[in-house]
Amino acid sequence: MLDLKGRNIVSIDDLTREELIQLINTALRLKDELYVGESHEVLHGKTLGMIFEKPSLRTRVAFESAMTQLGGHAIYLGPNDIKLGKRETTEDIARVLSSMANVITARVFAHKTVKDLAEYSKVPVINALSDFEHPTQIVGDMLTIKERFGGFEGLKLTFVGDGNNVAHSLMYAGAKLGMHVVIVSPKGYEPSSNVMKKCEKISKETFAKIESVNDIDAVAGADIVYTDVWASMGQESEAEERKKIFAPYQVNSHLMSLTKPTAIFMHCLPAHYGDELTEEVGHGPQSVIFQEAENRLHSIKAMLVHLTR
Ligand code: CP
Ligand code: NVA
């Protein structure tokens, strides 16, 4: 077994291919155990500190339920509780919280904040979403893909929309797992060129292919179509302008008809029906969005177990 104890997960790139696969396999085992009612309270007496600068349904409930099911305890610290960076510095918060909690998760605006927390914390820090990455989402999504397809190599995943935090984490995971990931976005909204360069390097060893294009026809033959909101948390002031720019990138039945008949539709949620997806696709037979949401729980449990036990 690989040793992830004490490590941070700020980026999917913090994990090797083998570690990522191990997390997915542990998540599968924990899911099976939960379904048959087998207890796995292996984090008895352990505390998770949760710093949230932004709203959340899935991530917050997944982390809190995870700690309950693992026999530990979670403390939620919302935007008005500690006022990160305003009432106290990030560095001091990391030092104090890590002197009491056994593991920390943080949902932040600036990616640098979660990096700083990891630097000054004595205990593992898990990124619960920053403006640059969403690693816990993508470990859960890889579990969903494994459940559906049995593996990853050679699968074509087309992410349609903004080259955002979710897109970056998908690119890293796809590169490590030997997938063909195509980010299809309007001009000016492509993913980070730095992430692309790193993924190209990783892909040389894994035979993955990671691309960024503007042409929506790139969904042709996809096994997986993935989309996310056009304006992420923190970009609300751009929402109206983005609606016009992103309109041709809506995932609707016509777009899905260009993919493989066996293709699935994914969305990290929350969804804006009528914008980045239609209700027909989101709640249609190809959609796995609620399986994805549930898998956040099982994958977060796997991360907590490997990092703290
Ligand atoms: N997908 C996701 O992270 O959902 P929440 O913002 O509700 O946590
Ligand atoms: N890109 C979205 C993901 C939400 C889970 C955001 O950052 O708001």
Side-chain angles (χ1 to χ4, degrees):
M1 185 147 109
L2 298 157
D3 195 5
L4 275 162
K5 190 171 163 64
R7 295 258 298 278
N8 302 308
I9 305 181
V10 171
S11 164
I12 288 283
D13 199 30
D14 290 337
L15 301 164
T16 64
R17 170 189 163 83
E18 289 71 28
E19 287 163 351
L20 186 53
I21 291 170
Q22 166 114 60
L23 285 175
I24 297 159
N25 288 338
T26 300
L28 266 174
R29 177 175 59 76
L30 292 169
K31 185 171 180 175
D32 285 345
E33 286 178 9
L34 186 75
Y35 275 37
V36 297
E38 216 173 289
S39 159
H40 39 229
E41 297 193 354
V42 291
L43 297 191
H44 181 73
K46 303 239 162 132
T47 303
L48 164 72
M50 303 170 59
I51 300 172
F52 275 62
E53 287 191 304
K54 297 173 177 173
S56 169
L57 170 65
R58 282 146 288 273
T59 312
R60 177 180 173 180
V61 177
F63 268 105
E64 292 196 23
S65 305
M67 284 308 281
T68 303
Q69 292 174 17
L70 293 169
H73 180 65
I75 302 174
Y76 175 77
L77 302 162
N80 288 324
D81 292 316
I82 55 172
K83 294 196 188 288
L84 191 139
K86 296 184 193 96
R87 183 171 181 263
E88 205 161 359
T89 64
T90 307
E91 178 179 338
D92 282 5
I93 289 171
R95 290 190 198 276
V96 172
L97 194 53
S98 67
S99 71
M100 302 179 196
N102 304 93
V103 52
I104 293 171
T105 189
R107 167 166 288 199
V108 297
F109 284 99
H111 190 64
K112 185 180 182 307
T113 306
V114 67
K115 276 170 77 173
D116 287 349
L117 282 169
E119 185 177 344
Y120 296 109
S121 168
K122 287 189 300 197
V123 301
V125 172
I126 305 174
N127 179 359
L129 181 147
S130 67
D131 61 357
F132 203 66
E133 273 208 58
H134 196 2
T136 65
Q137 174 71 47
I138 275 25
V139 178
D141 290 341
M142 293 301 133
L143 168 59
T144 305
I145 291 171
K146 175 149 185 166
E147 285 178 326
R148 178 55 68 111
F149 295 102
F152 308 97
E153 269 145 35
L155 288 175
K156 178 175 176 181
L157 184 154
T158 313
F159 177 94
V160 184
D162 188 21
N164 63 12
N165 43 10
V166 171
H168 292 154
S169 294
L170 268 175
M171 289 163 73
Y172 278 132
K176 288 179 192 239
L177 297 173
M179 296 173 73
H180 179 195
V181 176
V182 190
I183 310 294
V184 190
S185 46
K187 272 205 167 48
Y189 295 89
E190 294 90 351
S192 144
S193 54
N194 192 29
V195 173
M196 184 57 85
K197 270 191 221 123
K198 286 192 192 165
C199 285
E200 278 165 3
K201 209 170 148 204
I202 299 165
S203 300
K204 287 203 178 102
E205 284 172 18
T206 60
F207 304 106
K209 192 171 169 192
I210 313 297
E211 299 176 280
S212 166
V213 301
N214 303 119
D215 187 353
I216 191 76
D217 290 344
V219 297
D223 296 287
I224 301 150
V225 176
Y226 198 126
T227 192
D228 183 14
V229 290
W230 292 336
S232 285
M233 290 180 275
Q235 297 172 331
E236 288 78 7
S237 64
E238 295 173 37
E240 283 312 306
E241 187 198 350
R242 282 173 177 247
K243 265 191 192 193
K244 290 180 215 133
I245 297 166
F246 283 82
Y249 292 81
Q250 183 189 65
V251 180
N252 49 37
S253 300
H254 168 68
L255 199 84
M256 288 304 291
S257 74
L258 306 174
T259 66
K260 284 198 186 144
T262 49
I264 59 168
F265 169 74
M266 301 182 80
H267 191 310
C268 55
L269 303 179
H272 293 163
Y273 299 101
D275 287 350
E276 77 272 9
L277 78 168
T278 57
E279 172 121 25
E280 203 183 352
V281 169
H283 294 168
Q286 287 168 291
S287 176
V288 295
I289 59 175
F290 298 115
Q291 183 182 342
E292 262 185 285
E294 182 196 316
N295 280 340
R296 301 295 309 285
L297 168 69
H298 311 299
S299 51
I300 281 173
K301 279 166 83 175
M303 288 178 248
L304 289 167
V305 168
H306 279 290
L307 263 49
T308 60
R309 246 181 105 213

